[in-house]
Amino acid sequence: MGRLIARKKVIRLSPDGERTRPDSIAVEEPLEIRVDGRPLAVTMRTPGHDVELAHGFLHTEGVIGTVDDIRDARYCDSRDDEGRNTYNVLDLGLAPGVPAPEVGVERNFYTTSSCGVCGKASLDAVRLKSRHSPAGDPMRVSLEVLASLPDALREQQEVFDRTGGLHAAGLFTPDGELLVVREDVGRHNAVDKVIGWALLGGLIPARGCILIVSGRTSFELAQKAVMAGIPVLGAVSAPSSLAVELADECGLTLAGFIRNGSLNVYAHADRITTSDRAALA
């Protein structure tokens, strides 16, 4: 798996004693995203699907609306101590007529793997108006299908199986068909990769789709779903209060604690159908 996994020696301690053995560790490296040659953001990510990540990031930040807003994407000549290209600097050229990113989008600091919006000036700076509101999406998904999706996502986490150290995001149809899954050390990066994949494939707005994420649901993940026009967001853990508030305001169905056939619905439960009624009350 190339740069996705590193092999390191670890000391294993147990009641039976101590031994040294090799272990697989998820790789984390910085990616600098530039727009028309100007540095815009640096995120710590798992290498791979960088073009998708950058497209998804620019879309969910409101910089671009369609894939046609990007003229080209290319790696810059960044070198390590041994003179090898690191492939850690990606420059995206905007198409003619597409305005440059607003100052509020620029991140002159490192975005951590765990939180993509830490350090932004204010909450208002990330309350972006979506071009593809999910509010009017009439899609429905059964409780049985939705409850099964985290397990379906987990089955596709190849790097997690070897390292135990990655988040995942997956896009599904209401019938439970997996469209794409992406892994990353950062949950927001995994979502950006999924949305970037959909954008490059002409699937934005992602109407009638379900986004499933491992871990918890932060405000930023809910925002990314709204920006992409995704009507249903589900997670295996809890949402934050701001994620619930945003979902309620924007028409996003938000589910959490999806485990063992059950789940909690925090906003817009009408899209989830059950066997004994047309939809949850």
Side-chain angles (χ1 to χ4, degrees):
M1 293 187 179
R3 293 168 62 208
L4 301 181
I5 294 175
R7 297 285 287 175
K8 301 291 183 180
K9 286 185 179 180
V10 300
I11 298 175
R12 175 71 174 178
L13 303 177
S14 71
D16 297 327
E18 172 183 324
R19 65 187 179 94
T20 300
R21 64 176 179 84
D23 194 17
S24 295
I25 301 174
V27 170
E28 181 178 32
E29 293 182 1
L31 176 68
E32 179 179 312
I33 299 173
R34 298 179 181 176
V35 174
D36 289 332
R38 178 182 178 183
L40 183 70
V42 177
T43 184
M44 303 302 295
R45 97 304 189 191
T46 300
H49 306 291
D50 291 335
V51 173
E52 292 177 354
L53 191 162
H55 276 74
F57 171 76
L58 293 180
H59 177 76
T60 58
E61 291 289 342
V63 177
I64 62 174
T66 72
V67 67
D68 294 332
D69 289 340
I70 296 294
R71 182 185 68 251
D72 55 32
R74 61 182 180 85
Y75 285 102
C76 298
D77 190 18
S78 58
R79 301 285 173 175
D80 63 15
D81 294 339
E82 298 180 5
R84 297 172 299 189
N85 195 326
T86 64
Y87 297 99
N88 283 338
V89 180
L90 186 65
D91 189 14
L92 292 93
L94 296 177
V98 178
E102 296 179 2
V103 175
V105 176
E106 187 171 344
R107 298 179 181 177
N108 293 316
F109 55 86
Y110 281 81
T111 299
T112 69
S113 303
S114 60
C115 177
V117 298
C118 297
K120 284 203 169 181
S122 68
L123 185 61
D124 289 341
V126 292
R127 286 187 180 276
L128 302 173
K129 182 178 180 181
S130 175
R131 308 185 194 194
H132 314 296
S133 172
D137 195 320
M139 71 88 71
R140 296 291 185 272
V141 59
S142 71
L143 171 63
E144 292 75 17
V145 168
L146 184 56
S148 72
L149 297 186
D151 288 339
L153 177 67
R154 176 66 185 83
E155 290 173 1
Q156 300 298 317
Q157 291 186 249
E158 296 180 6
V159 182
F160 181 89
D161 285 338
R162 294 186 57 184
T163 67
L166 291 184
H167 292 284
L171 201 63
F172 294 83
T173 70
D175 295 328
E177 176 188 355
L178 175 64
L179 300 176
V180 65
V181 61
R182 293 289 182 260
E183 294 180 277
D184 201 279
V185 289
R187 57 173 60 87
H188 65 286
N189 288 336
V191 171
D192 277 341
K193 289 177 178 181
V194 165
I195 292 175
W197 173 89
L199 187 71
L200 289 165
L203 299 179
I204 298 294
R207 305 196 189 282
C209 290
I210 303 162
L211 178 64
I212 298 294
V213 298
S214 61
R216 62 183 177 84
T217 306
S218 64
F219 172 87
E220 188 185 30
L221 297 194
Q223 176 205 340
K224 290 180 183 296
V226 169
M227 291 294 289
I230 297 170
V232 179
L233 171 60
V236 299
S237 192
S240 70
S241 62
L242 285 179
V244 174
E245 181 181 326
L246 182 67
D248 187 57
E249 291 177 359
C250 297
L252 172 69
T253 297
L254 180 60
F257 292 106
I258 308 178
R259 304 169 187 172
N260 303 318
S262 64
L263 51 87
N264 292 346
V265 188
Y266 297 88
H268 299 281
D270 54 292
R271 290 194 179 99
I272 304 174
T273 63
T274 62
S275 57
D276 60 344
R277 61 173 69 182
L280 293 172

